[in-house]
Amino acid sequence: MRWALVKVSLAVTAMVVVAFAVPLGLVIREMARDRAFAGAEREAAAVAPALSITTDRAQLERVVASAGSGAAMAVHLPAAAGEQPLDIGERRASDEDIAAVRQLGRASTSTVPGGSALLQPVALSSGEIAVVEVFVPESAVTNGVGTAWAVLAAVGGALIVGSVAVADRLGVRMVRPAQRLVEGAHELGEGKLGARVPEEGPTELRLAAVAFNSMADQVVQLLANERELAADLSHRLRTPLTVLRLNAASLGDGPAAEQTRAAVEQLEREVDTIIRTARDAKPQTAAAGPGAGCDAAEVVRERMAFWSALAEDEGRKWRVAGADRPVRIPVARADLAAALDALLGNVFRHTSEGTAFAVDVHNGEDAVIVLVSDAGPGIADPEAAMARGRGSGTDGSTGLGLDIVRRLAESTGGDVRIGRSVLGGTEVRIWIQLDGRDRPPRRRGHRGSVRRRRTGRAALSFNRSRSLP
């Protein structure tokens, strides 16, 4: 916008300068020509009184020498009775031009080598017509024209530079508030809720800044209300959790009682985490700096150890692969555990007893893939399932589990895919990007896409190389 305004100002000013400077330059040239020929006419008029009195050559030579500028003037007398025509001074005009002036009886100019000649007819006492020739050199016609044109060019250039400078300042005054508005919108879109825009500039931009700041304040207020609501709803779970914990304490000893008490304690921790997160408004999904995150293999082993007891009760075969060595990922431990619990809970909830399941971890160069697969009937419409994971919540499912998994993967630049597993049922693939960058779109020949295809094929062969015990 700024450069567009400068270009428009430059074009308009240049057009104005050309429209005025070119005609003015032509006028200056004509004025210099008229000045030169006016001087020549004055010189010719100074000789006319002497010609009306005498035609003596010696006297006329003295008059021409005193009135003209040496070789610049000549007098052409007509032929007297029995004599030849008399020329005093250097002759430059042709006989035809001199004869035409005598015949017409009025002054004229003719082009001669080095300039022009003014031919002025003068009546003699005898009634004949003499012609006074005044030479006007080209330098006299153009005297001062070059300087005047240079001054015009300098003035035009100064006008153009001045208009560009003024347009640039005006453009800055208009563009800078617009740039700040764009930067504020980007910051607000990136989650920087404190982004505000100075209310300055033209009226329209000031009104836009006022509207943006008002919108940002409303967003902050809405998020604060949402956090308070989430914290309040989570806090309401404390009472039934307390009753559940007291009842679990009275179950006595045994594996089932211990598992129930452990589950209640974990549920209480999760509720506390939700309340603290809602109050602090600090997302825990993305890792904060190098070294942050967790060991995915350790989290997988821990959660599988928890779900294995229920799997044994229901007669389910299960296995874990790829979790025998550390796998660092830029994800908080609690978030990965919540995502695994959501997916494994879906396996137990939506498949019949005795259905096998598996969790595989593959550590690639730029990503970590976690596969949760089962041998159930599968998902007939994976797109609808992912839609529920984005908040549609249809068909008796809130979609919260897939939403937790999706947000965890997308926080690192990865994604979640649902497909057919090697066990014959559903396979949920969690792609966790290690460098935290957004994944570029898949295009043939794209280097990042090639790496992902290689990682995906390696993960597939990694899964097929293992079978359930």
Side-chain angles (χ1 to χ4, degrees):
M1 183 177 180
R2 172 185 176 185
W3 294 115
L5 184 60
V6 170
K7 290 179 181 178
V8 171
S9 175
L10 177 62
V12 172
T13 307
M15 291 175 60
V16 172
V17 168
V18 170
F20 282 93
V22 171
L24 187 58
L26 297 177
V27 170
I28 290 174
R29 188 180 67 177
E30 291 300 323
M31 290 177 62
R33 179 182 177 85
D34 294 342
R35 183 178 63 248
F37 280 95
E41 289 177 356
R42 288 192 299 270
E43 293 181 5
V47 181
L51 287 175
S52 63
I53 296 174
T54 180
T55 58
D56 182 69
R57 182 183 182 91
Q59 293 182 359
L60 291 177
E61 287 179 350
R62 288 195 296 269
V63 171
V64 168
S66 62
S69 54
M73 180 179 290
V75 177
H76 307 292
L77 298 174
E83 296 181 0
Q84 296 291 330
L86 179 62
D87 294 328
I88 299 174
E90 182 180 357
R91 180 175 180 171
R92 292 180 174 83
S94 63
D95 294 337
E96 292 79 4
D97 293 337
I98 296 174
V101 171
R102 281 198 180 104
Q103 182 178 359
L104 297 175
R106 62 173 181 268
S108 68
T109 59
S110 61
T111 302
V112 297
S116 301
L118 173 67
L119 301 176
Q120 180 70 39
V122 178
L124 301 178
S125 58
S126 61
E128 298 290 336
I129 299 297
V131 177
V132 179
E133 177 186 344
V134 181
F135 175 66
V136 181
E138 189 67 29
S139 59
V141 175
T142 60
N143 184 27
V145 176
T147 303
W149 284 4
V151 172
L152 283 177
V155 172
L159 288 175
I160 292 176
V161 173
S163 66
V164 169
V166 172
D168 182 71
R169 292 299 91 195
L170 291 176
V172 169
R173 183 174 177 270
M174 295 178 61
V175 171
R176 186 170 296 168
Q179 290 178 342
R180 291 175 178 172
L181 183 61
V182 172
E183 293 172 358
H186 282 301
E187 291 178 358
L188 186 63
E190 292 173 356
K192 299 177 182 178
L193 301 181
R196 296 295 184 273
V197 178
E199 299 174 2
E200 58 185 18
T203 304
E204 293 78 5
L205 292 178
R206 286 201 304 270
L207 294 176
V210 171
F212 176 83
N213 293 336
S214 176
M215 178 192 67
D217 294 338
Q218 291 180 5
V219 169
V220 172
Q221 185 63 37
L222 289 174
L223 290 177
N225 294 339
E226 182 179 356
R227 290 193 299 269
E228 290 296 329
L229 178 61
D232 181 65
L233 293 177
S234 300
H235 192 271
R236 294 181 185 181
L237 297 176
R238 287 186 178 276
T239 300
L241 281 177
T242 302
V243 176
L244 184 60
R245 179 169 53 83
L246 294 175
N247 292 337
S250 62
L251 293 177
D253 298 330
E258 293 297 330
Q259 292 176 8
T260 302
R261 283 190 285 269
V264 172
E265 291 177 359
Q266 181 184 0
L267 185 56
E268 287 182 335
R269 289 194 301 268
E270 294 295 338
V271 171
D272 292 339
T273 302
I274 293 174
I275 294 175
R276 287 194 301 269
T277 302
R279 295 292 187 186
D280 297 339
K282 295 180 180 179
Q284 301 178 359
T285 308
C294 68
D295 182 0
E298 180 181 357
V299 176
V300 168
R301 292 195 302 268
E302 175 187 331
R303 301 320 302 157
M304 287 300 290
F306 173 81
W307 289 97
S308 62
L310 182 57
E312 291 178 359
D313 293 341
E314 295 186 356
R316 298 175 181 265
K317 294 182 179 180
W318 58 272
R319 68 165 171 80
V320 178
D324 51 350
R325 59 184 181 277
V327 179
R328 297 294 304 182
I329 59 174
V331 173
R333 181 187 185 91
D335 292 338
L336 179 59
L340 289 174
D341 287 342
L343 294 180
L344 293 174
N346 285 340
V347 172
F348 282 85
R349 187 178 303 109
H350 299 293
T351 61
S352 59
E353 295 185 5
T355 302
F357 65 96
V359 177
D360 301 320
V361 180
H362 177 73
N363 189 9
E365 294 180 359
D366 57 352
V368 171
I369 298 176
V370 178
L371 299 173
V372 178
S373 54
D374 61 64
I379 297 178
D381 191 352
E383 293 184 0
M386 289 303 301
R388 289 195 297 273
R390 291 182 175 86
S392 67
T394 58
D395 298 336
S397 172
T398 62
L400 182 59
L402 283 177
D403 184 60
I404 293 173
V405 178
R406 179 183 57 80
R407 285 189 287 108
L408 175 134
E410 291 180 352
S411 68
T412 66
D415 61 8
V416 176
R417 298 290 177 86
I418 298 177
R420 177 69 63 176
S421 71
V422 295
L423 301 179
T426 302
E427 176 185 87
V428 180
R429 188 205 67 178
I430 310 174
W431 186 294
I432 301 174
Q433 199 79 8
L434 294 181
D435 55 6
R437 294 175 297 182
D438 291 339
R439 297 176 58 193
R442 294 179 177 238
R443 294 194 299 267
R444 182 174 298 178
H446 195 282
R447 185 173 300 174
S449 299
V450 172
R451 286 201 304 267
R452 283 190 293 274
R453 287 196 295 269
R454 290 176 179 173
T455 306
R457 288 195 297 266
L460 183 58
S461 61
F462 173 84
N463 293 334
R464 291 176 176 173
S465 63
R466 289 164 170 79
S467 58
L468 290 171

